[in-house]
């Protein structure tokens, strides 16, 4: 009975019950969809203010703004390299295993969902980061726009107000209140996971065709290889025990598995990463930025899906065309939302840009998008968690003792060289929180 009080156990039980309901009574399972949608909506409404307060609070205590700029450049370079490698994993998998060959689906009708997706241009992408109004970014919940406002506000408060000002103390209290609100909402996590999973199983159940099952298998295999080969190798480079890191976020992994949404795990990840030895400024900047720029699972999804559509529709798609497509994917896989279905919308936008593939090929993916979204969200959350640890070690903002206290495993020596002067935060002033590179 003691274990039943743990969140991850409750979520796991809810997932099992949801699968049973979806298989035994598909209609009832599908009817549970609003429950999952409501839970995700509750958490989404918390994201913009939490991101804003977390980043602003961290920036108000930064004594060296040059260190922040250095961290931002390192983060963006890391995001782009890792997400590009993720695309390569997807393209290699879909070309070697060829899940769509033999379908000859040449008479697909263009889905209405793709018509409204729009074409993404580089200029439009960067202009979109600028909100129409200061409050507009919070109203729409756009992470990139909230990040921009948070950076401007944090730097301004850092320059104008002292660390003991009423403004800074007000931000700290507001942050505490938001996380208390979050703790109330998280008690509904098992119910939300139950509703989302029951609806997915009830809708798709045994109706998934054989070729789609093969596509699912290829995608999950590519994602697993990326996580347990490439990401594990990165963890080894920074001296971080990979499996203990996964164990650290097991509650969030199960929650994401049930909802197929990375956003539901974001608030708790902020807290856990701080407790595990990552500097407040690093966590407050890298994690929300990663949710927009470090979407490894989304990159794999788009690469696999586009390759599958080309094979299934008998569309010639040479290796050089696929390599050229990587550049487009590097843009269209960024930004937007990390909820279930977000990757599908980005894929629609990419097919609008790549005229060599039929837009109607998206019709093949409608029935399994929710199943694919689960692997997408799981890969994204693992990649972003590791990214925070990488930048923290790279910037000299990591406390090995705190990580060992949380996981029971001591980190090894990092092969990354940190800066001569690490980012200075309140935690660095305490002897028990000595930060090492």
């Amino acid at each position: 009975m003691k274990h039943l009080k743990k969140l991850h156990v409750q979520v796991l039980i809810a997932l099992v019950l949801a699968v049973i309901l979806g298989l035994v009574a598909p209609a009832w399972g599908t009817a549970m969809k609003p429950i999952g949608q409501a839970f995700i909506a509750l958490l989404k409404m918390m994201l913009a203010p939490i991101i804003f307060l977390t980043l602003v609070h961290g920036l108000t205590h930064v004594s060296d703004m040059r260190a922040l700029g250095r961290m931002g450049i390192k983060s963006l370079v890391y995001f782009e390299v890792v997400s590009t490698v993720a695309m390569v994993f997807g393209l290699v998998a879909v070309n070697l295993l060829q899940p769509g060959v033999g379908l000859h689906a040449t008479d697909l009708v263009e889905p209405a969902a793709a018509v409204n997706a729009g074409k993404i241009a580089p200029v439009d992408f960067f202009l979109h980061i600028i909100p129409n109004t200061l409050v507009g970014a919070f109203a729409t919940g756009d992470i990139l726009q909230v990040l921009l406002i948070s950076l401007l506000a944090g730097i301004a408060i850092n320059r104008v107000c002292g660390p003991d000002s009423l403004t800074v103390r007000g931000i700290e209290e507001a942050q505490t209140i938001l996380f208390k609100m979050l703790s109330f909402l998280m008690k509904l996590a098992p119910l939300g996971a139950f509703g989302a999973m029951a609806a997915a199983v009830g809708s798709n159940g045994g109706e998934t065709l054989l070729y789609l099952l093969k596509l699912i298998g290829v995608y999950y295999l590519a994602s697993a290889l990326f996580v347990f080969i490439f990401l594990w190798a990165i963890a080894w480079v920074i001296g971080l025990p990979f499996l203990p890191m996964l164990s650290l976020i097991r509650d969030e992994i199960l929650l994401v598995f049930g909802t197929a949404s990375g956003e539901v795990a974001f608030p708790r990840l902020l807290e856990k990463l701080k407790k595990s030895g990552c500097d407040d400024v690093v966590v407050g900047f890298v994690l929300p930025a990663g949710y927009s720029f470090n979407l490894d699972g989304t990159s794999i999804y788009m690469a696999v899906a586009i390759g599958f559509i080309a094979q299934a529709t008998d569309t010639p798609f040479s290796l050089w065309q696929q390599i050229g497509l990587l550049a487009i994917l590097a843009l269209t896989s960024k930004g937007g939302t990390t909820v279930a279905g977000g990757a599908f919308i980005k894929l629609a936008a990419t097919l609008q840009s790549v005229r060599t593939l039929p837009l109607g090929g998206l019709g093949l993916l409608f029935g399994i998008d929710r199943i694919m979204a689960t692997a997408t969200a799981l890969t994204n959350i693992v990649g972003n968690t590791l990214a925070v640890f990488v930048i923290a070690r790279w910037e000299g903002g990591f406390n090995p003792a705190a990580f060992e206290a949380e996981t029971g495993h001591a980190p090894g020596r990092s092969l990354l060289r940190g800066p001569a002067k690490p980012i200075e935060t309140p935690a660095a002033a305490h002897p028990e929180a000595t930060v090492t590179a």
Side-chain angles (χ1 to χ4, degrees):
M1 297 298 292
K2 179 180 178 181
H3 294 291
L4 292 179
K5 296 181 179 180
K6 296 181 178 180
L7 179 64
H8 71 276
V9 174
Q10 296 174 3
V11 172
L12 187 59
I13 293 174
L15 292 177
V16 173
L17 294 177
V19 171
I20 294 174
L21 177 64
L23 292 176
V24 174
W28 281 93
T30 304
M32 298 296 107
K33 185 176 182 179
I35 299 177
Q37 290 176 324
F39 177 67
I40 293 176
L42 285 171
L43 291 181
K44 283 184 63 179
M45 76 177 183
M46 302 288 293
L47 291 184
I50 286 179
I51 290 173
F52 176 79
L53 291 176
T54 300
L55 186 52
V56 169
H57 178 261
L59 289 173
T60 57
H61 294 89
V62 175
S63 60
D64 185 1
M65 282 297 171
R66 287 179 297 180
L68 179 64
R70 181 185 65 226
M71 181 179 66
I73 293 174
K74 288 181 178 179
S75 298
L76 292 178
V77 170
Y78 173 84
F79 294 159
E80 193 57 47
V81 170
V82 174
S83 59
T84 300
V85 172
M87 295 176 202
V88 173
F89 268 80
L91 284 177
V92 170
V94 77
N95 277 282
L96 289 180
L97 301 178
Q98 300 183 334
V101 172
L103 286 183
H104 308 300
T106 58
D107 57 345
L108 294 173
V109 179
E110 180 174 303
V115 175
N116 300 320
K119 183 177 179 180
I120 294 179
V123 174
D124 296 332
F125 175 78
F126 289 108
L127 287 177
H128 177 71
I129 298 177
I130 305 173
N132 293 327
T133 64
L134 285 176
V135 298
F138 295 92
T140 59
D142 191 296
I143 291 180
L144 287 176
Q145 294 180 355
V146 172
L147 270 176
L148 176 62
I149 295 175
S150 302
L151 284 170
L152 293 174
I155 294 173
I157 294 174
N158 181 288
R159 294 294 181 89
V160 175
C161 306
D164 297 325
S165 70
L166 290 177
T167 301
V168 175
R169 281 186 285 176
I171 291 173
E172 292 176 350
E173 289 187 4
Q175 189 179 35
T176 303
I177 293 172
L178 273 179
F179 278 113
K180 176 58 68 175
M181 293 171 60
L182 176 65
S183 68
F184 298 153
L185 296 181
M186 288 308 298
K187 295 183 183 299
L188 301 175
L191 190 61
F194 172 82
M197 182 58 75
V201 176
S203 299
N204 301 313
E207 298 180 1
T208 306
L209 299 176
L210 184 60
Y211 63 88
L212 293 179
L213 285 175
K214 187 176 179 181
L215 170 62
I216 294 170
V218 170
Y219 177 54
Y220 272 72
L221 175 62
S223 299
L225 290 176
F226 173 77
V227 169
F228 290 103
I229 293 179
F230 189 70
L231 293 186
W232 196 322
I234 293 176
W236 176 82
V237 170
I238 65 171
L240 192 76
F242 191 69
L243 293 182
M245 185 201 76
L246 293 182
S247 178
L248 176 71
I249 59 171
R250 64 180 181 275
D251 292 355
E252 289 69 32
I253 288 176
L254 287 173
L255 187 57
V256 170
F257 182 79
T259 61
S261 169
E263 290 187 340
V264 300
F266 179 86
R268 284 174 59 89
L269 273 181
L270 280 173
E271 292 184 284
K272 281 195 172 182
L273 290 170
K274 291 177 183 178
K275 291 180 180 179
S276 302
C278 294
D279 183 88
D280 286 9
V281 177
V282 175
V283 176
F285 179 84
V286 176
L287 190 61
Y291 265 61
S292 289
F293 291 100
N294 189 42
L295 302 176
D296 304 329
T298 303
S299 299
I300 298 174
Y301 170 86
M302 296 177 73
V304 170
I306 287 175
F308 174 78
I309 290 173
Q311 295 167 6
T313 58
D314 298 329
T315 303
F317 203 48
S318 68
L319 179 61
W320 286 111
Q321 288 177 302
Q322 296 178 49
I323 294 175
L325 181 59
L326 284 175
I328 300 175
L329 286 171
L331 174 65
T332 57
S333 63
K334 302 296 188 296
T337 179
T338 53
V339 297
F344 184 85
I345 299 302
K346 295 173 185 177
L347 177 61
T350 302
L351 288 186
Q352 286 275 65
S353 302
V354 184
R355 298 298 181 181
T356 55
L357 292 179
L359 196 61
L362 286 171
L364 292 170
L365 305 177
F366 283 155
I368 61 170
D369 180 65
R370 173 57 174 74
I371 302 174
M372 302 280 277
T374 300
T376 302
L378 288 172
T379 306
N380 285 341
I381 187 179
V382 174
N384 281 314
T385 299
L386 179 61
V388 174
F389 282 109
V390 170
I391 302 302
R393 297 219 76 164
W394 203 351
E395 279 295 295
F398 178 68
N399 185 351
F403 182 85
E404 184 175 5
E406 288 293 316
T407 65
H409 293 77
R413 184 178 180 83
S414 174
L415 300 182
L416 287 177
R417 279 191 170 186
K421 183 181 179 182
I423 295 177
E424 296 179 8
T425 62
H430 298 286
E432 67 273 14
T434 301
V435 177
T436 64

